[in-house]
Amino acid sequence: MTRKQGNLLFRFKSIRSTMIFFFTMIIAVALIVFLIISIRYTQENIMENSKYYTMQLIEQVNGDIDSYMDYMENISRLISKNKDVIDYLYDETATKEELDQIKTRVISQFQTISDARDDIYNIAVLSDNGRNVINDGKDQLNPYADIKQSEWYVKARQSNGIAVLSSSHVQNAIKDDYKWVVTLSCGIQNPNTGTIEGVLFVDLNYSAINNLCEGISMGSKGYVFIIDSQGRIVYHPRQTLLYSGLKSEKVEEALNGKQTNFTTVEGENSKLYTVYTSEKTGWTVVGVAYLSELMTGREETQLAYLITALFLIIISGIIAIILSSEISKPLKELANSMKAVQEGHFEHAEIEILEQNEIGMLSNSFNIMTQKIKELMEQIVREQRAKRKSELKALQSQINPHFLYNTLDSIIWMSESGKNQEVVLMTSSLAKLLRQSISNEDEIVSIYSEIGYTKSYLTIQKMRYKNKLEFEIDIKEDILNESIVKLVLQPLVENAIYHGIKYKEDGKGFIRIMGERVENDIVICIEDNGKGMDKEALNHIFDKKENKKSGGVGVNNVNNRLKLYYGSRYGLRFRSQVDVGTMVEVRIPVSSEEDSHYEKY
Amino acid sequence: MRNTKKLITWMIWLLAFILIVFLLTRCNAKDNKTVKIVYVSKVLDDNNAFWFSLIEGTEIAAKEYGVELTILAPDSESDYEKQNDMIANAIALKPDAILLSPADNEKTLPAAKKIKEAGIKLILIDSQMAEPIEDALIATDNIEAGKKVGQLVNHLIKENSKIAVVSHVQGTSTAIAREVGLRIALGEDEKRIVDVVFSDSEYDKAYQVTKELLQVHPDVDIIAGLNEYSAIGAARAVRDLKLTDSIKLIGFDSSVEEIQLLESGVFDGIVVQKAFNMGYIGLETAIKILRGEEVATNIDSGSNIVRKDDIYTEENQKLLFPFR
């Protein structure tokens, strides 16, 4: 049988596996495509949202810083326009006592301000004439520092009364104190001359800026830093490290745009920079967010997607298994049924039709077809049996004509010699024989009648062979009424005489017929003390060669008939020994309802 | 169908397996042991900007890297015995690495060897020892720093100049190297050095030995201090003797007092080590070694010359005034 070989990869033994495989594959592929698209889309979405969100945050920080600086400018404007401050700095006419009084008032104002705001580190007003007020009045100017060179001082003098904001720097104006601050400074106009002859400066420590920047949530690793217009760091949560040169910040890129986003690619540490430059301060607030943190959701989402996908694939696998079983079950039943039919078991071939679909129709057709085949096969069996029966009849009707001539010859010979008694016996025996052979149409006869027939035959033969033949019949009574296929024993006896006793060299020939019941069988033995057979002859005893000369019914014929009629278990069995004799055993079943069964055909 | 049931059970097992693997990976991700590091410093002195910055550097690095850092240090830089005890204590804490600024070139060595014997990584900061047993050294190139002191001295040398050197602790690698550097930079003028005295890293002793030195050598007009204690002590002595006009000093490292002395012109110039960087890089290196990364075994944290006029340049103010 040659089978068409499919693609090696997709060769399955059953429709079911094929269906499970393809169902699952289709679903898996669809899911994976879906998964990739959704993950990508989610990622882009998150990124867009993050950009928008951080920009909002940074704008807010920027706004906060602007308003903080506004507030500080207001304070500085208040101070710089304050009458006491101006009087103290520029009043040339006041006495020392008056000046001291004014100074006390200024100091108390300063105290009030710096008490209210702990982000103000220093407040001081300096005048060109050497008068100054610094904080609580106890601090002194650093005698060695050249304040006039400081950036905040220079700018304040140039700014015409408008407050200027410095970058982060070390304030060295006050003795014994060196602190990193942001300085807000403005010139103070001398009302007498109309020119700026003094400077106010307010040093801000980082607490307020720090609060503003730290208060913004940029994730656990993200942060906010501020650079001035020159790209100098004003504030950075890692200012110490930046100032030490141990870390660097992407200042250049941040300076390039006023409101922009950019990302750096550093693997795990990829960051999103959000830049916003304030018009007011000139400072640029930069928010740094770690992409890994923005995408925190991402990994979990991906995992969730993945697990859901796997779950769905498995579920769909299970459904595919169930579905394909459901579809392939009737097919499989059909296949099994066909196999049964192929092996000849029609009994269980009928398929229950559950659905009215294509498979149901197929099954229905199959059922009809099997039914037809079954009927046809039964018909064939019937015909065969009928044929055999007619064959049997033909076989049975063959009475050896030679025997008839010889017997008639014997009768003539005996009546010539006046042996009336014998003539009567022989003639009556022959008459019995003929009656049974010709007149009885039945195929089956009782053992009694079969024995009678055989006895008649033996009587004739005994008379013909005179003293050369003796016989004995011993049939148990209980089997006499059992039935047997007609013309079984006589041919065997004939065979025993013509092939056994006839060739016996000395002594009397003896035939014994015994019959008895052995369990459910009837066994009839025909024993002779003739020439016997060797093994070779015994092995060929059933070979189909009929003794044409004798015209009798062969052993083979008898055996075939028995087997045809009763089944292969039954028939003849020979046992023989050269110069001792032969025994043939006829085995038939006890007639029962089986009889009637066979009778049917 | 039996086969179907088998397949379905198999699938369910697969599902359970995936869930278990997922849960396990979630749990494992959070299980991370913190690294323990001990820094045995030379001295714990808030007035000393150098050591303060250095320790601050290690602390900030520890915070950056999420490391558990313990700091141990004696009260005096020259107290090597106390430091040796602290090294033993540090070993007892079973840290992953020990950072050490050895107090003495020779005398710290046996204690330091025990660190290595205990299988703990040893990173030296600031100073070396006679035998290079450390896994890494982070220090100022002290010969280079000494040369910078020499450069500053060179500016001041006049025809009859005599130079005195106030060094810190005799026998420490830093003192030796800086003096070597100084002498290299001076070249021919090396012979102008009339004396080298040691302050044992104490202001008072530096003050004392400088006074005594100036009595013995009244012709000295240039004094080079080789660390903060020595430089400040010497400057105080010169100031108190009212010799600031005739004697110029070169300082080493920075503190508020030293900067004021620089602003006021007592110091003509100073050489500043990057103490913060040293501490930070020291701890960073320890972590890299523990992670098995390749690191340079000898890292120069650098030093700068600062003169009166450039104290407030952007770069120098960052160096002199640590941002806090």
Side-chain angles (χ1 to χ4, degrees):
Chain A
M1 207 197 286
T2 54
R3 196 178 292 170
K4 204 174 169 185
Q5 302 273 308
N7 188 336
L8 206 68
L9 192 64
F10 298 124
R11 222 172 58 212
F12 293 100
K13 270 189 182 157
S14 68
I15 291 180
R16 185 161 157 266
S17 323
T18 318
M19 282 167 84
I20 292 172
F21 179 78
F22 282 106
F23 279 167
T24 316
M25 278 312 270
I26 289 165
I27 290 162
V29 167
L31 268 173
I32 286 163
V33 170
F34 179 71
L35 200 65
I36 290 166
I37 291 171
S38 10
I39 284 172
R40 174 146 298 195
Y41 178 73
T42 317
Q43 206 164 327
E44 275 172 15
N45 218 17
I46 288 173
M47 194 67 201
E48 278 312 307
N49 282 343
S50 312
K51 277 182 180 172
Y52 179 75
Y53 173 70
T54 49
M55 185 51 94
Q56 295 261 321
L57 282 180
I58 296 310
E59 240 182 282
Q60 195 199 323
V61 174
N62 201 64
D64 289 348
I65 285 170
D66 280 359
S67 54
Y68 172 60
M69 289 305 165
D70 260 339
Y71 181 80
M72 284 301 158
E73 270 177 36
N74 285 338
I75 288 175
S76 60
R77 198 173 303 126
L78 276 176
I79 296 166
S80 67
K81 304 284 192 227
N82 184 284
K83 191 172 176 302
D84 284 338
V85 170
I86 291 169
D87 282 350
Y88 179 71
L89 291 180
Y90 300 125
D91 194 343
E92 302 289 347
T93 59
T95 61
K96 179 125 182 22
E97 286 76 33
E98 280 173 335
L99 280 180
D100 281 347
Q101 274 176 11
I102 300 168
K103 187 176 183 178
T104 314
R105 287 206 295 277
V106 173
I107 286 169
S108 85
Q109 275 190 355
F110 283 7
Q111 283 298 103
T112 315
I113 294 166
S114 57
D115 281 352
R117 301 211 51 111
D118 57 4
D119 53 327
I120 294 177
Y121 189 69
N122 292 313
I123 311 181
V125 286
L126 313 168
S127 150
D128 289 350
N129 58 23
R131 291 186 196 165
N132 59 52
V133 183
I134 304 167
N135 296 331
D136 56 1
K138 287 171 194 140
D139 286 329
Q140 290 181 330
L141 282 181
N142 183 351
Y144 304 109
D146 192 1
I147 300 167
K148 292 189 169 65
Q149 297 296 312
S150 302
E151 196 189 327
W152 58 268
Y153 187 89
V154 175
K155 280 191 173 166
R157 288 308 285 262
Q158 290 166 354
S159 74
N160 203 20
I162 297 161
V164 291
L165 194 61
S166 80
S167 185
S168 287
H169 70 109
V170 173
Q171 182 60 279
N172 65 336
I174 291 154
K175 198 180 172 207
D176 290 340
D177 193 24
Y178 302 88
K179 190 82 178 174
W180 283 93
V181 290
V182 173
T183 302
L184 192 74
S185 53
C186 64
I188 302 173
Q189 204 179 39
N190 184 344
N192 305 323
T193 59
T195 56
I196 287 166
E197 289 171 20
V199 166
L200 158 77
F201 71 88
V202 179
D203 286 337
L204 304 171
N205 65 24
Y206 293 86
S207 63
I209 298 173
N210 192 53
N211 283 344
L212 292 178
C213 295
E214 294 267 284
I216 292 303
S217 163
M218 301 290 285
S220 64
K221 275 152 87 192
Y223 54 90
V224 175
F225 69 90
I226 303 171
I227 53 175
D228 71 4
S229 53
Q230 267 106 60
R232 289 177 294 197
I233 299 279
V234 175
Y235 166 82
H236 194 290
R238 286 198 178 104
Q239 212 144 341
T240 319
L241 293 179
L242 290 174
Y243 281 179
S244 308
L246 290 165
K247 289 267 186 292
S248 61
E249 192 52 84
K250 299 212 157 22
V251 168
E252 289 296 312
E253 292 93 324
L255 270 180
N256 284 339
K258 275 194 179 304
Q259 281 182 47
T260 173
N261 277 309
F262 63 89
T263 49
T264 58
V265 183
E266 297 165 79
E268 272 288 290
N269 291 322
S270 297
K271 301 180 199 102
L272 169 68
Y273 282 75
T274 308
V275 179
Y276 195 101
T277 304
S278 162
E279 298 288 347
K280 179 174 168 56
T281 57
W283 288 355
T284 300
V285 179
V286 185
V288 182
Y290 281 73
L291 290 184
S292 59
E293 287 191 330
L294 292 179
M295 301 291 180
T296 25
R298 187 185 60 174
E299 251 181 51
E300 258 126 54
T301 319
Q302 278 178 358
L303 210 65
Y305 277 139
L306 208 70
I307 295 227
T308 315
L310 267 173
F311 189 76
L312 286 176
I313 288 172
I314 287 168
I315 292 285
S316 67
I318 291 171
I319 291 171
I321 291 166
I322 295 168
L323 198 69
S324 54
S325 307
E326 212 51 42
I327 293 174
S328 63
K329 206 168 90 187
L331 280 175
K332 195 152 193 168
E333 264 175 33
L334 194 60
N336 284 341
S337 182
M338 281 184 168
K339 204 167 182 189
V341 170
Q342 185 183 322
E343 283 162 7
H345 306 296
F346 285 92
E347 305 86 60
H348 313 295
E350 180 103 4
I351 302 164
E352 196 187 349
I353 295 159
L354 296 166
E355 290 150 283
Q356 287 304 318
N357 56 14
E358 290 85 343
I359 293 167
M361 282 154 66
L362 201 61
S363 304
N364 193 34
S365 303
F366 175 76
N367 281 347
I368 293 169
M369 190 179 78
T370 8
Q371 192 57 43
K372 277 259 167 68
I373 292 174
K374 197 174 161 188
E375 279 169 19
L376 282 171
M377 282 187 79
E378 279 170 0
Q379 196 179 332
I380 288 168
V381 169
R382 248 195 324 267
E383 282 170 0
Q384 284 290 323
R385 257 185 215 286
K387 199 176 156 197
R388 224 179 301 156
K389 202 175 166 184
S390 60
E391 258 174 33
L392 220 54
K393 269 194 177 145
L395 285 170
Q396 281 166 348
S397 58
Q398 288 172 10
I399 280 200
N400 193 344
H402 291 286
F403 170 72
L404 208 55
Y405 305 152
N406 291 342
T407 308
L408 288 173
D409 275 345
S410 293
I411 291 170
I412 293 167
W413 181 73
M414 279 194 286
S415 43
E416 271 179 0
S417 50
K419 291 176 176 171
N420 275 343
Q421 197 105 31
E422 281 92 343
V423 169
V424 171
L425 183 61
M426 191 176 258
T427 312
S428 68
S429 293
L430 184 63
K432 267 184 202 169
L433 207 62
L434 284 174
R435 189 180 300 128
Q436 191 149 15
S437 168
I438 296 159
S439 61
N440 194 351
E441 284 287 317
D442 294 341
E443 194 184 340
I444 303 292
V445 294
S446 66
I447 288 177
Y448 175 81
S449 112
E450 178 70 7
I451 290 293
Y453 182 77
T454 311
K455 203 175 173 179
S456 304
Y457 175 75
L458 271 172
T459 307
I460 292 166
Q461 288 292 45
K462 187 186 169 185
M463 288 171 76
R464 277 183 61 207
Y465 290 98
K466 292 221 173 73
N467 297 328
K468 261 192 111 177
L469 179 71
E470 273 303 333
F471 67 91
E472 185 189 309
I473 294 172
D474 175 19
I475 301 295
K476 294 274 183 300
E477 291 250 355
D478 60 336
I479 62 164
L480 282 176
N481 285 324
E482 296 291 332
S483 43
I484 189 168
V485 176
K486 201 169 97 180
L487 224 61
V488 166
L489 299 180
Q490 183 271 326
L492 294 175
V493 170
E494 186 180 333
N495 199 55
I497 292 167
Y498 286 112
H499 299 290
I501 290 169
K502 195 175 169 185
Y503 299 104
K504 192 176 161 63
E505 271 145 29
D506 53 346
K508 236 175 189 170
F510 187 78
I511 289 172
R512 178 189 284 143
I513 300 170
M514 289 170 301
E516 63 183 344
R517 185 182 172 139
V518 180
E519 283 167 15
N520 282 325
D521 293 344
I522 291 164
V523 178
I524 299 167
C525 264
I526 297 159
E527 229 181 274
D528 68 65
N529 61 348
K531 191 177 133 261
M533 284 173 281
D534 56 13
K535 264 226 171 84
E536 178 72 19
L538 207 56
N539 284 341
H540 293 101
I541 192 119
F542 294 125
D543 285 0
K544 204 174 178 180
K545 55 166 194 309
E546 285 195 12
N547 196 340
K548 293 273 178 215
K549 216 160 82 183
S550 67
V553 182
V555 175
N556 182 46
N557 178 302
V558 173
N559 192 38
N560 278 348
R561 273 191 293 140
L562 286 171
K563 281 190 190 296
L564 268 175
Y565 210 91
Y566 297 114
S568 56
R569 253 192 78 214
Y570 304 97
L572 300 181
R573 229 168 68 210
F574 280 85
R575 252 179 293 167
S576 183
Q577 215 176 336
V578 176
D579 293 333
V580 174
T582 304
M583 190 195 83
V584 57
E585 188 186 276
V586 179
R587 185 178 282 266
I588 57 166
V590 173
S591 58
S592 58
E593 67 274 19
E594 239 178 315
D595 232 15
S596 56
H597 170 78
Y598 284 106
E599 208 59 39
K600 257 167 79 181
Y601 309 113
Chain B
M1 230 185 265
R2 219 184 70 226
N3 218 7
T4 310
K5 271 187 189 158
K6 229 160 111 188
L7 264 171
I8 290 171
T9 7
W10 186 80
M11 289 255 180
I12 286 165
W13 275 117
L14 190 74
L15 204 69
F17 175 75
I18 289 165
L19 276 171
I20 286 163
V21 166
F22 168 69
L23 287 174
L24 282 179
T25 48
R26 288 273 104 177
C27 293
N28 279 349
K30 277 169 190 164
D31 186 38
N32 229 336
K33 190 179 149 272
T34 47
V35 174
K36 245 169 83 179
I37 292 178
V38 178
Y39 174 38
V40 182
S41 184
K42 266 192 204 178
V43 66
L44 211 58
D45 179 359
D46 286 354
N47 291 322
N48 185 306
F50 176 80
W51 290 109
F52 189 86
S53 291
L54 204 160
I55 290 168
E56 195 183 27
T58 58
E59 284 170 342
I60 288 183
K63 212 169 131 195
E64 282 283 305
Y65 286 98
V67 168
E68 191 187 320
L69 177 68
T70 311
I71 292 174
L72 301 173
D75 294 330
S76 164
E77 247 192 80
S78 52
D79 195 351
Y80 67 85
E81 283 173 346
K82 187 83 188 289
Q83 198 193 36
N84 285 352
D85 290 345
M86 286 174 161
I87 291 172
N89 291 344
I91 295 170
L93 290 172
K94 295 197 170 107
D96 299 289
I98 289 178
L99 311 180
L100 173 67
S101 300
D104 194 280
N105 208 8
E106 302 274 357
K107 288 161 189 152
T108 313
L109 194 57
K113 278 183 174 168
K114 294 221 170 68
I115 298 177
K116 293 298 291 174
E117 282 162 17
I120 299 166
K121 299 287 178 197
L122 173 61
I123 290 95
L124 293 187
I125 296 180
D126 176 66
S127 307
Q128 289 171 272
M129 289 182 295
E131 274 179 53
I133 58 162
E134 72 275 6
D135 293 290
L137 167 72
I138 293 90
T140 306
D141 184 339
N142 279 302
I143 291 182
E144 204 55 47
K147 281 182 189 169
K148 284 171 182 165
V149 175
Q151 280 172 37
L152 288 168
V153 171
N154 277 334
H155 284 293
L156 301 172
I157 290 175
K158 298 187 201 96
E159 212 182 326
N160 297 314
S161 285
K162 291 287 179 234
I163 304 165
V165 176
V166 183
S167 188
H168 40 295
V169 182
Q170 196 163 14
T172 56
S173 65
T174 55
I176 297 163
R178 284 171 204 169
E179 195 183 321
V180 168
L182 172 62
R183 286 175 189 275
I184 291 168
L186 289 177
E188 275 293 290
D189 291 325
E190 193 205 328
K191 58 181 183 295
R192 291 176 189 272
I193 297 173
V194 294
D195 203 356
V196 178
V197 292
F198 293 92
S199 69
D200 288 345
S201 282
E202 283 167 28
Y203 296 118
D204 292 346
K205 183 147 188 216
Y207 181 81
Q208 210 55 46
V209 293
T210 310
K211 265 192 167 174
E212 285 161 17
L213 176 117
L214 289 173
Q215 275 167 8
V216 181
H217 303 284
D219 54 343
V220 164
D221 62 343
I222 300 167
I223 299 175
L226 292 189
N227 79 347
E228 205 250 351
Y229 295 106
S230 311
I232 299 272
R236 285 175 189 170
V238 170
R239 189 187 60 200
D240 288 1
L241 292 169
K242 307 220 184 319
L243 292 171
T244 45
D245 290 336
S246 56
I247 297 176
K248 287 291 174 193
L249 287 104
I250 304 300
F252 205 92
D253 287 339
S254 73
S255 62
V256 171
E257 191 177 353
E258 198 164 336
I259 286 158
Q260 285 173 332
L261 290 166
L262 181 62
E263 280 186 319
S264 63
V266 176
F267 284 117
D268 186 70
I270 57 175
V271 173
V272 183
Q273 298 184 78
K274 296 179 177 174
F276 181 87
N277 294 22
M278 213 186 277
Y280 189 93
I281 295 169
L283 195 116
E284 196 175 52
T285 307
I287 286 158
K288 283 181 180 167
I289 287 170
L290 289 174
R291 282 180 187 165
E293 290 174 26
E294 280 286 312
V295 290
T297 51
N298 195 340
I299 298 166
D300 175 20
S301 49
S303 59
N304 273 12
I305 292 174
V306 179
R307 303 193 68 192
K308 188 182 185 248
D309 292 339
D310 46 38
I311 298 173
Y312 295 101
T313 61
E314 215 183 309
E315 191 190 350
N316 285 342
Q317 66 179 350
K318 286 174 187 170
L319 176 64
L320 294 172
F321 309 98
F323 186 92
R324 302 201 168 93

